[in-house]
Amino acid sequence: YRSMIEDGIPTDINARAYYLYSVARLHRPNPHKDKYVLAVLQDLVNDDSEFVPWYRGKRGSFYVHRHDLYYHLLWEAYAEVGAVNTLRRITTMWEKGYEKAGLDPKKPPLGILHGMMKRDLYTGNIDSVIDLWEQAKKIGATVLSDLHQEISSLPSLTSMNDSLSNRGQSGPDGNKPLVAGFSPDDEGPSNIQQELEHEGGLAKMIPKRNKMLLDRHLICYLHALAAKRNYEEGVNTIYQMLEEGWAVGNRSLNEFIICCCEAHSPRDMIRAFELCERFLIDNFIWISFGEKMKEVKLRILADKSTVLQSHGVLWPEARTIYYLKEVAFAAENVSLPGAEVGLPDVDFVNFGAYSVGCR
């Protein structure tokens, strides 16, 4: 980054923010370096020139101030080492910046909310995490509602269908016209409106990245519920999110399943198996080796966590399988208190074989 600056290469907000994040992660093991990191933050905030491009267009729901990403990443960096005093100073700097810009610190955007949730989760302020989740959900609901309205205001899909109604008719030369996305041998017109409704209506048109808007917040919230041993509420939240049209990500599910595995109650441990069976296990490559290998190329296996997730595939990670196997082993070999609850009908002897491909 410094070499780029020396060479006169312009930087944007993202480059500056991740430079700051790298500096913080480099120096955070040494508390005496905290002042230096905060000084770097202050320098970046002061250098607020028009030559540092930000996001164009209207303000979004994730960040509303050009410096929001700075504070979001710093909260994440220092939360992981429990630097309470430094986190408090970062929060004070953020609040003063908002007040100076005429913004209300009591109404933070989603990006700031996530940084705060992670800050409070790692410092043990669990009740605050739950309160911040409620704020995030309200903002998310508004964003999703606005997206529905924008999509509803698009040109009628029926008229789009009518414009393609001639694609199955022959032209003057006796050949069927070529329409983008259709072959000359396509059999007559299809009703796009009906197809869309069959596939889930307007909700299907919302990009996946928008449906995943609250996924990072959800991870913090589920960990907070696990800290309170309220696993039932965590399961209910996952299903509620899906019912409301949100997408629940791979990491959210895997981390909460691991939390359930670490529970003290057999009933809560069972939830781990139920969630894995319901959402993850069908997409686990190594269960049906031959068929899945044709679908997912060998080169993808080198980086399952990024490639598969980017395609929206949910699957149990190696760590999740390890925890589930440990619970299954304990259930087979130890008489647990409350064992009358019973574990689900799982072939525990072969369950460990599921992890072979991930080791």
Side-chain angles (χ1 to χ4, degrees):
Y1 176 87
R2 290 170 179 167
S3 296
M4 290 173 62
I5 298 298
E6 292 174 0
D7 294 339
I9 300 175
T11 60
D12 62 5
I13 287 295
N14 284 324
R16 289 172 168 233
Y18 282 96
Y19 160 69
L20 175 65
Y21 183 60
S22 300
V23 171
R25 288 180 62 87
L26 177 65
H27 294 299
R28 68 184 182 181
N30 305 308
H32 65 279
K33 287 284 189 177
D34 291 353
K35 290 183 178 180
Y36 167 73
V37 175
L38 295 180
V40 174
L41 167 63
Q42 191 63 58
D43 289 342
L44 293 176
V45 169
N46 292 339
D47 185 15
D48 195 13
S49 66
E50 60 181 338
F51 301 106
V52 183
W54 191 48
Y55 303 99
R56 297 181 178 179
K58 65 180 181 179
R59 289 174 174 174
S61 58
F62 220 78
Y63 299 123
V64 297
H65 191 281
R66 61 188 296 119
H67 300 147
D68 279 347
L69 185 57
Y70 295 164
Y71 295 103
H72 183 183
L73 293 178
L74 274 189
W75 275 320
E76 285 201 23
Y78 280 101
E80 293 171 357
V81 293
V84 178
N85 292 331
T86 301
L87 288 168
R88 189 178 295 117
R89 294 176 64 184
I90 294 169
T91 302
T92 301
M93 293 177 69
W94 169 77
E95 290 174 346
K96 289 181 178 179
Y98 256 47
E99 292 170 353
K100 183 179 179 181
L103 298 170
D104 188 356
K106 295 181 180 179
K107 297 180 179 179
L110 287 175
I112 291 295
L113 282 171
H114 176 254
M116 289 178 167
M117 290 179 75
K118 197 159 187 180
R119 173 199 67 190
D120 293 343
L121 179 66
Y122 276 82
T123 54
N125 194 353
I126 303 303
D127 290 334
S128 175
V129 176
I130 294 174
D131 292 340
L132 292 170
W133 165 252
E134 294 301 325
Q135 291 186 52
K137 276 203 69 178
K138 290 178 181 178
I139 298 175
T142 302
V143 172
L144 210 58
S145 175
D146 291 344
L147 282 170
H148 276 286
Q149 292 181 8
E150 289 181 16
I151 292 172
S152 299
S153 65
L154 292 174
S156 170
L157 291 172
T158 303
S159 62
M160 292 170 57
N161 184 69
D162 292 340
S163 68
L164 298 174
S165 60
N166 293 324
R167 72 174 187 264
Q169 301 176 11
S170 299
D173 57 358
N175 295 321
K176 294 180 180 180
L178 287 173
V179 180
F182 300 96
S183 71
D185 297 324
D186 195 16
E187 293 296 332
S190 65
N191 193 316
I192 297 177
Q193 185 74 41
Q194 290 181 359
E195 290 177 2
L196 182 61
E197 292 173 356
H198 176 71
E199 290 298 325
L202 295 176
K204 281 288 185 180
M205 294 181 66
I206 298 178
K208 185 174 180 63
R209 66 177 181 276
N210 295 108
K211 292 183 180 181
M212 298 283 288
L213 193 64
L214 296 180
D215 196 56
R216 286 189 284 177
H217 306 77
L218 178 61
I219 293 172
C220 293
Y221 178 62
L222 292 175
H223 275 287
L225 291 177
K228 284 181 166 289
R229 299 186 181 179
N230 193 351
Y231 300 95
E232 182 176 2
E233 180 62 25
V235 174
N236 292 338
T237 299
I238 290 173
Y239 281 102
Q240 181 184 359
M241 294 286 286
L242 294 172
E243 289 175 2
E244 293 176 357
W246 295 103
V248 178
N250 199 56
R251 187 179 171 195
S252 298
L253 289 166
N254 276 276
E255 290 206 16
F256 186 63
I257 287 171
I258 291 174
C259 288
C260 291
C261 288
E262 295 175 330
H264 297 283
S265 164
R267 186 181 300 278
D268 292 322
M269 293 178 183
I270 290 173
R271 301 185 199 280
F273 290 91
E274 292 174 342
L275 287 171
C276 187
E277 182 178 1
R278 169 67 177 82
F279 294 106
L280 305 182
I281 208 69
D282 286 345
N283 294 323
F284 191 35
I285 294 173
W286 298 93
I287 291 181
S288 51
F289 187 92
E291 179 182 349
K292 290 292 182 181
M293 281 302 177
K294 295 176 183 177
E295 179 183 344
V296 185
K297 303 298 183 182
L298 279 168
R299 60 183 178 80
I300 295 181
L301 297 179
D303 194 10
K304 304 186 193 75
S305 60
T306 56
V307 179
L308 290 184
Q309 187 173 344
S310 68
H311 289 286
V313 177
L314 302 175
W315 66 289
E317 297 174 353
R319 195 163 63 108
T320 304
I321 292 293
Y322 172 78
Y323 273 86
L324 289 169
K325 194 173 86 167
E326 291 299 308
V327 172
F329 177 80
E332 285 289 285
N333 294 277
V334 180
S335 178
L336 296 174
E340 67 277 359
V341 173
L343 285 169
D345 186 16
V346 177
D347 182 359
F348 294 123
V349 175
N350 294 321
F351 193 85
Y354 293 172
S355 63
V356 171
C358 288
R359 293 304 173 113

